[in-house]
Each structure stands twice: as structure tokens, then as C-alpha cells.
Amino acid sequence: MENGFSYVDNTLYAEGVALADIAARTGTPCYVYSAGSILSKYRAYHEALADVPHRICYAVKANFNLGVLRLLAGAGAGFDIVSGGELYRVLKAGGDPSKIVFSGVGKTAAEIEFALDQRIFSFNCESEAELALIDALAARRAIKARVAIRVNPDVDAATHPYISTGLRNHKFGVDIAEVERVYERARRLPALALEGVSCHIGSQLLDTDPIIEAVDIMLALAGRLRARGIPIRHVDFGGGLGIRYKPEDEAPEVKRFAAALREKVLDKDLEVTVEPGRSIVGEAGVLVTRVLYRKRTGRKEFIVVDASMSDLIRPALYQSHHEIIPLRRSPALGTVVADVVGPVCESGDFLARDRELANVLPGDLLAVCSAGAYGFALASNYNSRPRPAEVLVEGTAWRVVRARESYADLVRGE
Ligand code: LLP
């Protein structure tokens, strides 16, 4: 199953379930994910790397729903976490701690202790101060913490500036020019098992050349470190593979990218970790929304829907494009050029601008596509809007994996 969504007799289905049936039961807005699509993307990584020791550590931040995590844990995935909260979720979902890597520039002592106590696979460390803290906390427990230093390889990921991370002036990682000195100092810290190198250069990369460039840089570094007697055993190349948001996007195929990676690492006697998020769940999710009103102001045509930037902030935050298609397709509808906007009180609250789409009417249902990654994950309660329901479809079965929030949920803790 490629991305899990297709029209059958002009009705949009998620696998074997009509999306309109789900909307009728759960209400809108609501996120719907295809389990088959998620698993097929995971397996594409896993199978292409079959003959090299590897961990596919799904980046939890992209979509942290327990139903999604359980699905991936069941398939044998590892996880890339960036907080104690994500570790808690992965454990709840039955994830195997020995397949967890912990990334991020600002890990707190409490988060590090939680991860040490769970014996996670490795910390991706971003500074000397963090290395010292992990060493101290591991020493107190009389254990050795496996660490990799996150290197900033200084390659240009050529993506949106907010999601590019691998250049020298970004906050992430240790400068490639400094990193060997940092390893030399870190090897004196007794409670660290300094066995890895890691990097992540950015997200939504439609061109894989920069990732492959970073892979070469990292493999060369691993070789130099080994020559110094530092026993590097694993390399983590991060995530970042882009997906198709526009029909004309030429998104890299997971299978081909992973095969290129395999070529690079074969016979290097290294374990390989990747941290894909978006390329596993992005195309496997849609946001279903209902048209509330049509209106015209000045020269502009608006389609007002019940989903907003509080449910899917990507268009407002990154000017990103998400295809918007009707749940019921009909040639008789014709098309219109309009802005698709939500109820939130901000001019920045739009899901599409000046977009040609089906000429839908109030009451009609739309699917905002490729919303499985960084969709619900970035949703908020802005304007006191309850966050939407989430549904997981498996074949002809579906279930709510997160209930729509209630008004009571909105004031919990206040
Ligand atoms: N590993 C690390 C260390 C990361 O920082 C990220 C993403 C990933 C893996 C997963 O990257 P992916 O395979 O999903 O590209 N909110 C933005 C994306 C932020 C990405 C942050 N880091 C968006 O909606 O486009």
C-alpha cells in the first residue's frame, strides 16, 4: 500500500474504509492514518538495510500517537526520542529501550536519569557540558552510558530555513572542525562508552545528495576516530527524507535512498541507525474537515472550514503546501480558486492560499493530504479549540486512537 488513500467510485477511502463514514461517526476535524502505509514505509527501510546491522529509529516527534507507536513497536522499530515525555510514550507503547536513541540539545538531568534507568541504546550528545552531565549521572549508577556525539557536518540541506539543521551557525551538534578534540577529551570520562557518531542535517529533503554528502563525511570521521583508538561501532545518519506534498514533487523513494545508504556502509563493520519521521508517517495521514461557509471579501473567494492552524500549523508556519481534495469527487462540481481558511482569529490561519480546488459547498467534506507528520503533533488549543480526534485504519477496520478533546479537557489543570 503506497499511501493508503484512494478514490473508489469517486469516494475517498482510507484503505478499505470510506473517510465519510469515519467523519460521520467521529465528527470533524479528525486525523485519519493508514496503518498499512506506515508499515510499508517502515519495512522499506528495514528491508533495504537487511544485510547490514541496523536500527530504524522512528522519530517520535513526527507523530506521537500511542496507536502509531504501538504499530511500529510491533513491527520491530526502534525510536528516536527528544524528551522524557517521548520516552514515556514509547515505553507505554511497548517500545524496546535497547532500540532507543535520545537526541536533542537541551536534555535535562531528570530526562537523562530516566533514560539511563531504562538502559536506552544511546544518547546523541550535542555539547561537552552534556557529555559531562551524562558521565556524572551514569557514574552515580555505576553503569556505562553509550553515547554518540552529534556532529554538525556543515552541509547545506537546501530545505526551509526552520527545518535545516546541519550548517555551522545552527544550534545543533558539535562543529565538525572541533569534534575530534571533543572526542579526545570525552574519552577520559570513565562512565561513557564512546561508541558512536551521529548527525541530522535537516528535514523534508527532496534531494538526497546532501544526506549522502553527510554520510561520506561521517564515515570518514568514524575512520579517523578509530585510527585514534576510539572504538566507533555505530553511526546514526538522522532522518530528513522528504515526501510528496504537491503532485509534481519528485520525492525520493525510501527504498532507493536506503539502498544507497546500504552501498555506503556495507563492509564498514558499523551498525547503522536512521531516524526517519516524516517519510514513515507523512503520506499516511489526512486531516478531514467540513466546509462551514463560503464567502467573498473584496476580490477573494474563501472556503471556511472547521479545521484551522490550531489543528495543522504547517501552512501558516512554513508556507507549506498540502493538497486539499473532496471526500466525494464529482465532475459536476467544477473548480474554484480560493483560500481555504479556518475559524481562528488570525490572518495567518489558512490551510491553502489562492488554490484551485473542487468547488465545494457548506456541509461538504475535504481531506487535507500528507498530514500524518507534524500535523497533530504540532496541534494546539489556541482559541480554546479542543484538539481533533485521531483514527487508525487497518484494512476494513478502524478505531479512534485518540478521542476528540472535550471542553473539560481544555481547563484540566487550571
Ligand atoms: N532526527 C532528529 C535529530 C531530528 O531533529 C528530526 C526532525 C528527525 C530525526 C526526523 O526528521 P524527519 O525524518 O521527520 O524529517 N515541524 C517541521 C519538521 C521539524 C523536524 C525536526 N527534526 C515540519 O512540520 O516540517
Side-chain angles (χ1 to χ4, degrees), residues 204-220:
Q204 183 51 16
L205 307 191
L206 288 176
D207 176 5
T208 55
D209 288 354
I211 313 188
I212 296 297
E213 189 188 332
V215 166
D216 287 333
I217 292 171
M218 298 300 287
L219 292 175

Side-chain angles (χ1 to χ4, degrees), residues 112-125:
I112 293 167
E113 290 182 309
F114 184 17
L116 286 170
D117 289 341
Q118 294 300 323
R119 305 287 190 270
I120 65 160
F121 170 62
S122 182
F123 292 86
N124 288 335
C125 296

